[in-house]
């Protein structure tokens, strides 16, 4: 049998699902000769088994021989997506589009990458282009529907998801989106039934996690709390098996938090005088602590510009908090160096906002900046902080309930214990920091904000030095006009409600392993104690 016949036979076996046998055939063929067809097929076998990082070298070697082969570029994009390397994945798909601009699936696969990095406009354009090229591409309709749902454009989302389900009733994205639409109109039983059926199908770890998390939310709304928690655990286990972001040395690692805590006192002692100019404000706290609600309230003020979780400061934090040498550089940074970095930060913040500040007060919202408050204060001595607080038990439960996209920060929420430990590490730094600069930090409790939004809004305006604006109470109108890239996107388009307060009590038995870990923070922030000893 000649080489072409052997390749066709291997492709036939691959189509029949004989993945392991095909991989062994490819390895044997490649031992004799490095041919691009067998390299590509070897990579496809590894992709089919979820071994994305192992597929990359085979694809790169094949591309050295066939640098303009669009299918190789497409699959290289799939492989990089599988390990969460979004820039390289995007680069591969864009090259594939340059070579073959009429292939709809390249745009379809590029869309989620733009979503991952927060470029929602580009993601929407990619999905629309995929639909232009192939109107019967159900996943493109479904993905666009999901984007409309997240943007609170529910009528358009419903139309698109209906089209997707008509084209492909089993489409995973379409069913996930329809379940979310059902939840939003109060049809929790219908959503639960749809999601339970979906979970009987083979799903990727990420889709399984989303489906299980949304099923848990549906059961929670139905008062079926034991089943809800079991669903949340199921979703996290799916991601634990994948754990695409297993990084023990990044900015949000335990080593990083320990390093900042270790240097906290010297960082905040004898802080240099601030240079003249605008003082940035940072909205910090912890994920699921009401920062998105505060964002919308602040964004409703004409003199305030809120930068929503764009991470503009992260490169500077990596430079000065990424290792011991960085801390030393920060401690010795002179006034000119601080001023240069401040001006660069303000320039990048203005670019991220999409228009000049023009006299507006900049509020940079990223909850986990809490972990770097001492570093930020040292870098920008005039910085101010809005420190959002919520009952620690509700915060940790909510972080565990939600299927966050995996990255070095969100991987802490894959277990209940990990969620509580990360909360403690971040709050230890945040509490110590605000105690050392009481005049530059305002603590604002989520529960107080829900009880009396006007009183807390006035406190906030007084701290920021701006006049109170009654329109801040209609934050939900502002939210409807914005893309909100946080899990609270569907909540902040409603008036303030208190139904999420004390949710932890419904899960007190399941939370028992971490209640002791959280008790010091419950006591510090003044929340009612739990009933355990």
């Amino acid at each position: 049998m000649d080489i072409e016949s052997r390749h066709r036979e291997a492709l036939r076996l691959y189509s029949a699902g004989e993945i392991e046998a095909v991989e062994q055939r490819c390895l044997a063929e490649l031992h004799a000769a490095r041919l691009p067809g067998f390299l590509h097929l070897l990579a496809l076998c590894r992709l089919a088994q979820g071994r994305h990082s192992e597929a990359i070298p085979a694809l790169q070697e094949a591309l050295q021989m066939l640098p303009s082969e669009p299918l190789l570029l497409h699959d290289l994009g799939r492989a990089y997506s599988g390990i969460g390397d979004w820039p390289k994945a995007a680069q591969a798909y864009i090259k594939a589009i340059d070579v073959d601009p009429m292939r709809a699936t390249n745009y379809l696969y590029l869309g989620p990458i733009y979503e991952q990095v927060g470029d929602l406009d580009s993601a929407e354009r990619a999905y629309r282009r995929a639909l232009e090229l192939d109107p019967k591409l159900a996943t493109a309709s479904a993905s666009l529907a999901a984007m409309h749902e997240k943007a609170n454009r529910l009528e358009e989302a419903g139309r698109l998801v209906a089209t997707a389900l008509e084209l492909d009733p089993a489409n995973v994205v379409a069913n996930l989106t329809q379940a979310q639409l059902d939840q939003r109109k109060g049809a929790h039983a219908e959503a639960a039934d749809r999601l339970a059926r979906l979970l009987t199908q083979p799903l990727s770890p990420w889709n399984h996690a989303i489906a299980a998390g949304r099923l848990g939310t549906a059961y929670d709304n139905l008062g079926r709390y034991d089943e809800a928690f079991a669903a949340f655990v199921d979703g996290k286990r799916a991601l634990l098996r994948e754990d695409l972001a297993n990084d023990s040395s990044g900015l949000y690692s335990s080593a990083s938090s320990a390093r900042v805590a270790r240097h906290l006192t010297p960082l905040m002692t004898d802080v240099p005088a601030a240079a003249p100019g605008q003082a940035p404000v940072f909205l910090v706290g912890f994920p699921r602590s009401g920062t998105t609600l505060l964002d919308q309230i602040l964004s409703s003020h004409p003199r305030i510009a809120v930068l929503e979780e764009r991470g503009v400061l992260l490169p500077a934090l990596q430079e000065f908090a990424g290792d011991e040498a960085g801390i030393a550089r920060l401690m010795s940074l002179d006034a000119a160096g601080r001023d240069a970095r401040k001006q660069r930060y303000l320039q990048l913040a203005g670019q991220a906002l999409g228009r000049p500040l023009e006299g507006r007060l900049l509020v940079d919202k990223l909850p986990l900046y809490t972990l770097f408050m001492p570093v930020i204060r040292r870098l920008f001595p005039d910085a101010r902080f809005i420190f959002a607080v919520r009952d620690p038990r509700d915060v940790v439960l909510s972080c565990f309930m939600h299927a966050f996209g995996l990255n070095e920060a969100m991987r802490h929420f894959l277990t209940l214990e990990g969620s509580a430990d990360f909360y403690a590490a971040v709050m230890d730094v945040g509490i110590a920091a605000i105690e050392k600069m009481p005049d530059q930090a305002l603590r604002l409790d989520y529960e107080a904000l829900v009880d009396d939004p006007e009183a807390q809004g006035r406190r906030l305006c007084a701290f920021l030095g701006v006049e109170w604006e009654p329109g801040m109470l209609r934050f939900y109108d502002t939210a409807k006009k914005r893309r909100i890239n946080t899990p609270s996107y569907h909540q902040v388009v409603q008036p303030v409600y208190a139904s999420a307060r004390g949710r932890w009590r419904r899960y007190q038995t399941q939370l028992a392993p971490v209640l002791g870990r959280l008790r010091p923070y419950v006591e510090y922030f003044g929340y009612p104690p739990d009933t355990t000893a």
Side-chain angles (χ1 to χ4, degrees):
M1 187 183 295
D2 61 23
I3 188 68
E4 291 186 5
S5 299
R6 295 199 301 275
H7 188 253
R8 284 196 298 271
E9 175 63 11
L11 284 173
R12 185 190 67 76
L13 290 172
Y14 176 83
S15 299
E18 299 289 336
I19 304 299
E20 292 181 7
V22 174
E23 181 174 3
Q24 293 307 311
R25 287 197 178 204
C26 288
L27 290 171
E29 293 286 352
L30 291 167
H31 183 72
R34 310 299 289 183
L35 298 174
F38 281 106
L39 285 165
H40 191 186
L41 192 51
L42 176 64
L44 290 174
C45 290
R46 291 173 174 174
L47 288 173
Q49 296 170 315
R51 294 156 57 195
H52 301 90
S53 60
E54 295 177 57
I56 291 171
L59 290 164
Q60 289 174 329
E61 185 178 350
L63 279 164
Q64 289 177 354
M65 305 174 202
L66 300 173
S68 297
E69 171 51 55
L71 291 178
L72 286 171
L73 291 165
H74 176 90
D75 289 329
L76 183 61
R78 288 174 56 205
Y80 278 125
S81 294
I83 63 170
D85 192 333
W86 311 120
K88 288 183 180 177
Q91 185 181 43
Y93 286 125
I94 289 169
K95 284 183 178 179
I97 288 169
D98 288 342
V99 174
D100 187 3
M102 303 305 289
R103 186 180 294 273
T105 53
N106 285 327
Y107 297 93
L108 176 64
Y109 280 68
L110 185 58
I113 296 170
Y114 284 132
E115 288 194 73
Q116 286 286 344
V117 300
D119 188 351
L120 302 183
D121 290 334
S122 293
E124 184 170 337
R125 284 194 295 271
Y127 292 135
R128 289 193 181 280
R129 180 57 178 156
L131 274 179
E132 288 173 2
L133 293 171
D134 185 356
K136 294 186 177 181
L137 199 57
T139 300
S141 288
S143 298
L144 199 53
M147 290 201 70
H148 281 303
E149 187 273 323
K150 290 175 184 175
N152 298 298
R153 301 194 291 263
L154 302 187
E155 184 176 345
E156 181 68 4
R159 183 185 67 78
L160 283 163
V161 82
T163 299
L165 288 170
E166 183 178 349
L167 290 167
D168 180 7
N171 186 272
V172 174
V173 178
N175 278 283
L176 286 171
T177 305
Q178 183 59 59
Q180 194 74 342
L181 291 169
D182 288 341
Q183 295 253 47
R184 296 188 66 167
K185 65 183 182 183
H188 305 301
E190 289 88 337
D193 288 344
R194 181 181 294 274
L195 291 163
R197 289 194 304 272
L198 187 61
L199 284 164
T200 65
Q201 302 178 22
L203 300 174
S204 70
W206 175 237
N207 283 332
H208 187 108
I210 295 175
R214 291 182 181 179
L215 178 61
T217 300
Y219 284 151
D220 179 82
N221 287 319
L222 292 166
R224 296 161 60 177
Y225 303 126
D226 288 344
E227 293 169 276
F229 198 82
F232 297 137
V233 170
D234 177 44
K236 296 297 183 175
R237 282 177 178 163
L239 292 180
L240 269 170
R241 289 191 293 270
E242 190 79 353
D243 198 2
L244 302 179
N246 190 0
D247 185 352
S248 60
S249 61
L251 269 182
Y252 296 111
S253 66
S254 57
S256 178
S257 59
R259 181 165 51 249
V260 174
R262 187 164 57 251
H263 291 282
L264 188 145
T265 297
L267 281 169
M268 301 196 71
T269 300
D270 298 326
V271 176
Q278 182 176 4
V281 180
F282 296 92
L283 174 51
V284 300
F286 199 80
R288 313 301 290 152
S289 292
T291 54
T292 299
L293 174 59
L294 280 167
D295 173 351
Q296 303 313 308
I297 291 172
L298 289 165
S299 295
S300 301
H301 195 294
R303 286 194 52 208
I304 297 174
V306 181
L307 189 61
E308 184 191 15
E309 302 195 18
R310 297 297 295 273
V312 169
L313 195 58
L314 289 178
L317 295 178
Q318 184 65 58
E319 178 186 359
F320 291 116
D323 52 28
E324 291 289 337
I327 296 284
R329 286 195 300 273
L330 177 59
M331 292 296 291
S332 62
L333 192 66
D334 60 17
R338 288 193 303 276
D339 187 57
R341 282 164 175 80
K342 181 177 179 180
Q343 296 308 314
R344 177 60 176 160
Y345 164 73
L346 291 173
Q347 179 188 19
L348 292 173
Q351 291 173 1
L353 285 168
R355 62 190 181 103
L357 285 170
E358 296 178 338
R360 293 176 297 162
L361 178 68
L362 173 66
V363 176
D364 189 343
K365 175 225 173 187
L366 202 158
L368 288 177
Y369 277 160
T370 303
L371 192 54
F372 306 102
M373 288 171 69
V375 176
I376 296 171
R377 188 4 176 37
R378 191 83 190 185
L379 190 59
F380 305 144
D382 54 354
R384 290 178 290 169
F385 300 89
I386 303 165
F387 190 68
V389 171
R390 183 184 175 195
D391 187 319
R393 296 157 296 193
D394 279 331
V395 170
V396 168
L397 174 65
S398 186
C399 287
F400 184 69
M401 288 169 62
H402 187 75
F404 291 99
L406 276 184
N407 56 42
E408 63 173 320
M410 299 302 106
R411 67 181 298 269
H412 291 283
F413 303 139
L414 292 177
T415 65
L416 193 60
E417 291 78 9
S419 303
D421 286 344
F422 191 46
Y423 179 88
V426 172
M427 286 298 109
D428 283 346
V429 172
I431 289 168
I434 63 172
E435 287 183 345
K436 290 182 179 295
M437 51 173 183
D439 295 335
Q440 288 178 247
L442 174 72
R443 170 182 155 185
L444 204 150
D445 293 6
Y446 169 78
E447 293 80 4
L449 183 64
V450 168
D451 284 342
D452 193 342
E454 180 171 345
Q456 297 306 311
R458 288 182 179 276
R459 278 186 68 222
L460 194 53
C461 287
F463 172 71
L464 296 175
V466 297
E467 294 292 326
W468 162 252
E469 285 283 340
M472 295 171 77
L473 295 178
R474 296 189 61 81
F475 61 89
Y476 42 88
D477 289 336
T478 299
K480 291 174 183 176
K481 301 172 186 175
R482 303 177 70 204
R483 288 189 185 272
I484 301 166
N485 196 26
T486 74
S488 303
Y489 68 90
H490 60 290
Q491 297 165 324
V492 294
V493 293
Q494 310 170 52
V496 167
Y497 61 93
S499 60
R501 175 187 292 179
R503 174 181 276 165
W504 72 271
R505 294 187 182 279
R506 307 171 193 168
Y507 299 94
Q508 192 159 354
T509 300
Q510 293 90 343
L511 286 174
V514 300
L515 288 178
R517 184 77 172 99
L518 297 175
R519 193 167 296 128
Y521 308 96
V522 171
E523 293 173 356
Y524 180 87
F525 292 126
Y527 289 99
D530 53 73
T531 57
T532 59

